[in-house]
Amino acid sequence: MEGHTTANASLTIRCIYMLLALYEKNRTTAELLDYLERKELANVSRRTIQRNLEDLEGYFGLSRLPKNGANEPDVWQLEQQEFERLLELEDPVALALVIAEQQLAELGPMDVFKPVEGLFKRAKEQLAARNSLASLWYRRVKVSAASHRLTGPELDSEKSQRLLEVALKQVAVRLHYHPHQDDPAQVIRATALAVFYRGAVAYLVLRDHASDRVRQLPFSRISEVREIVTDDPRVGDFDLEAYAASGALAYKFGEPFRLEAIIFNSVRREIEDAPLGDDQEISPIEGQPNCRRLSVTVPYTLNLVQWLLARAAYLKILAPTDFRDKFKEELVRALANIENDQLNVPQRRNFGTD
């Protein structure tokens, strides 16, 4: 730039603030002077501001609007797209942001990321306008969840924020909880302990004052939450990390065990590059070229059981014996419900019982 500008820190800061002010809306020199005063910058004259603007004119998309009369004040404007070129992301960074948003949409909760929604939007728009490898990746590669995930329910934002607040403060609360939609409310007095997201579904972790039991209730089933002072909070020795490690958040049925099975090639292809465990072993079986023997240490969780049941026609559980028997019993129960006219719900849970 030419003219009266100097390599002066206060001048640099003043020019940055003026450009940001004009990014918001068009302003006169006098309006910019008021803006700078509100920002508590060093006082300068209107003439100084005018000279600074004239020095910047033509750079960063800065220009003056045409005047209708000679006595009208200068109105300065900033071409936003031109100015935003200063803020452009590297294409690989933009791609990382776009993929991160897609993954976050699967996992939730997206409301936490509202402050950076504009950044996500800018990254998508930038890639859409480019022809770089990163932009081609964005258009020609699809990222989705590895398996079915529950879609997050529609939640009242104010109530969700309230539930999050009581959990962060770990206070005593009175809740109206509905076990199913349209069920009458159950009034629960409890201590809010933490929040857990299973995919996009939010749960309030609490200690029920009636039973002293730690429970997880979905936000979507809580119609009212009020902080109460008549009950003392009962946090006790609750620790979220220890609670998660116990398997309580993963529908844990028991301790990890060594799974032995015969698997068909379709299952083999699925787990060769995405193992079920770190010590997975897959070995040939003589006389069965399309099958393999699988040996791997696995967590005893609902996710594991559901994964195996979905592939039951393409594998044979060999060991451990107690797990094999429970797996067979689950298939027998499922077959009975297919063959009978009415649904027969078991009176006793199969997995995770002695």
Side-chain angles (χ1 to χ4, degrees), residues 103-120:
Q103 296 284 12
L104 291 169
E106 291 287 343
L107 297 173
M110 285 307 294
D111 57 320
V112 174
F113 301 94
K114 284 189 180 297
V116 292
E117 280 183 349
L119 189 59
F120 289 148

Side-chain angles (χ1 to χ4, degrees), residues 221-239:
R221 291 286 183 263
I222 300 172
S223 60
E224 183 180 314
V225 55
R226 290 186 181 180
E227 187 174 340
I228 55 176
V229 296
T230 52
D231 289 10
D232 291 328
R234 302 183 192 176
V235 178
D237 60 354
F238 177 81
D239 178 79

Side-chain angles (χ1 to χ4, degrees), residues 60-71:
F60 315 121
L62 180 65
S63 63
R64 281 178 268 198
L65 290 174
K67 293 183 180 181
N68 294 322
N71 295 326

Side-chain angles (χ1 to χ4, degrees), residues 200-267:
V201 182
Y203 292 81
L204 178 67
V205 182
L206 55 84
R207 188 185 303 279
D208 192 324
H209 289 184
S211 63
D212 205 42
R213 184 166 62 96
V214 176
R215 304 173 60 185
Q216 303 166 30
L217 305 182
F219 278 23
S220 57
R221 291 286 183 263
I222 300 172
S223 60
E224 183 180 314
V225 55
R226 290 186 181 180
E227 187 174 340
I228 55 176
V229 296
T230 52
D231 289 10
D232 291 328
R234 302 183 192 176
V235 178
D237 60 354
F238 177 81
D239 178 79
L240 184 58
E241 291 300 323
Y243 186 63
S246 72
L249 300 179
Y251 292 126
K252 181 179 177 182
F253 293 139
E255 296 304 313
F257 63 90
R258 191 73 181 174
L259 176 68
E260 305 284 342
I262 297 174
I263 57 173
F264 184 62
N265 274 341
S266 59
V267 178

Side-chain angles (χ1 to χ4, degrees), residues 258 275-281 295-299:
R258 191 73 181 174
L276 292 178
D278 295 334
D279 58 359
Q280 175 174 286
E281 298 175 7
S295 180
V296 59
T297 301
V298 292

